[in-house]
Amino acid sequence: MARAVKNKELVNTRLATSYGGWMYCDKCGENIGYLCYSTYDRLELEYKCNCGSRGNILLDFEDSKPGQACDSELVIIKNRFCCPKDQEPLITILDKKMSDYKLEITCKSCGNIYRKTKNGH
């Protein structure tokens, strides 16, 4: 069932569909990752593409619940960042396409807010 998007801000970024699928840098057109459709409640991503463009994404839904901060790390399964509680895939970041990024994603099933950063050169 489709979810009703509440907030959707894309800066220098485009998505393959309204709230998921492949993510692309608008400046160079490079694929920067993949956002799973149904497993996240909220996403904030700020990044710098290797082409020099800075972009960001903010997405949440009408039925999103407030998440709770946690100290747990996302686990990597088949190149995807997954929730450590249920191993559900949340997002894939193509690390080699970005010089730096700051990710904050809320898992829909457990409500934990996971953070991940990469500091560039």
Side-chain angles (χ1 to χ4, degrees):
M1 184 171 121
R3 298 178 77 189
V5 174
K6 179 176 164 186
N7 295 298
K8 181 178 181 179
E9 296 173 23
L10 301 176
V11 177
N12 296 325
T13 309
R14 64 185 169 83
L15 291 173
T17 67
S18 63
Y19 58 85
W22 294 108
M23 303 180 296
Y24 300 92
C25 170
D26 254 356
K27 183 177 178 188
C28 67
E30 280 290 327
N31 179 344
I32 58 168
Y34 185 86
L35 180 58
C36 299
Y37 294 90
S38 59
T39 56
Y40 76 97
D41 236 4
R42 186 171 196 279
L43 168 71
E44 277 189 76
L45 174 65
E46 296 176 26
Y47 69 92
K48 182 177 180 186
C49 181
N50 288 339
C51 75
S53 178
R54 289 206 169 271
N56 57 47
I57 301 171
L58 169 62
L59 274 169
D60 66 4
F61 303 93
E62 295 291 342
D63 64 350
S64 290
K65 295 171 184 68
Q68 63 264 355
C70 73
D71 292 329
S72 301
E73 292 284 321
L74 291 164
V75 294
I76 298 174
I77 301 171
K78 296 183 181 175
N79 295 334
R80 297 179 192 143
F81 287 125
C82 301
C83 175
K85 289 191 171 195
D86 60 11
Q87 280 76 50
E88 283 289 327
L90 297 169
I91 191 169
T92 299
I93 298 289
L94 298 177
D95 207 46
K96 65 182 182 271
K97 304 281 180 90
M98 294 185 223
S99 58
D100 61 62
Y101 64 84
K102 185 172 136 187
L103 167 69
E104 193 171 285
I105 192 164
T106 305
C107 177
K108 186 177 176 192
S109 66
C110 74
N112 282 343
I113 301 169
Y114 298 101
R115 293 175 176 86
K116 183 90 177 145
T117 58
K118 173 187 177 182
N119 295 316
H121 330 322

